Amino acid sequence: MTTQTIRRELRFPQSPAVVWRALATREALADWMYPNDFEPRVGHRFTFRVPPDPRARFEGLVVHCEVLRCVPPAELEFTWVVGEGFLDTRVRYRLEADGEGTRVFFEHSGFKEEQAFHGAGFGWNMMHGKLAKALGKASGDAALASPTRDTSAPEG
């Protein structure tokens, strides 16, 4: 079966340690993504609680996750599961130092449904914009992430 993967390459002016804190601490994740009970350790099961949006007729949902890989400050991978069999995917962040900043390689893989793939792509664009703002606010730097490079593609 063919699945699809969302890929983004982001560049932040903050160091990998600062970007890592935004990706791997409960409070920071809640600031730019959703309320959660995340802990940065392999095997930890956690949830993101996506709030309802009545304007979009969206009732909200709970995303069930498990940390699969956690190598500070370089790699974080977790499952991203919604409903029973509706969406069973994986999210992966890989960080590399880039001068004084950080290059972030993001993947969200395993989409079988076109609508979920496109909806998640839209959602990650919004969330990564919020991540850039949160990083800028935390470091007192107004600089935001460079434009996202989208390399999403179907896989076989």
Side-chain angles (χ1 to χ4, degrees):
M1 170 177 268
T2 300
T3 61
Q4 293 183 300
T5 299
I6 298 166
R7 291 188 179 93
R8 304 284 188 268
E9 184 178 328
L10 307 166
R11 168 81 172 64
F12 299 101
Q14 292 80 15
S15 70
V18 171
V19 175
W20 178 261
R21 278 194 297 275
L23 296 175
T25 59
R26 178 182 309 177
E27 297 78 13
L29 283 168
D31 189 34
W32 66 270
M33 198 165 8
Y34 304 115
N36 64 85
D37 54 350
F38 176 84
E39 292 180 21
R41 61 181 169 84
V42 173
H44 177 67
R45 293 176 187 261
F46 65 103
T47 58
F48 285 109
R49 300 203 171 271
V50 182
D53 181 356
R55 292 176 300 161
R57 297 183 184 187
F58 175 66
E59 297 178 4
L61 57 85
V62 176
V63 181
H64 297 271
C65 307
E66 179 179 355
V67 177
L68 301 175
R69 185 166 177 82
C70 183
V71 183
E75 292 184 59
L76 179 63
E77 182 175 357
F78 51 87
T79 60
W80 184 279
V81 178
V82 177
E84 294 197 21
F86 172 70
L87 189 65
D88 188 354
T89 58
R90 289 185 180 198
V91 171
R92 181 172 187 242
Y93 284 96
R94 186 170 55 85
L95 286 62
E96 291 182 3
D98 184 27
E100 293 182 14
T102 306
R103 188 166 304 277
V104 176
F105 300 91
F106 166 82
E107 285 187 5
H108 189 167
S109 63
F111 290 93
K112 297 175 186 167
E113 301 291 331
E114 193 74 21
Q115 184 177 3
F117 173 73
H118 289 293
F122 176 79
W124 284 116
N125 286 343
M126 279 188 354
M127 287 188 279
H128 288 148
K130 290 180 178 179
L131 170 61
K133 288 179 183 175
L135 285 167
K137 187 172 60 178
S139 65
D141 185 352
L144 301 176
S146 64
T148 301
R149 197 174 95 186
D150 183 350
T151 55
S152 301
E155 298 174 343

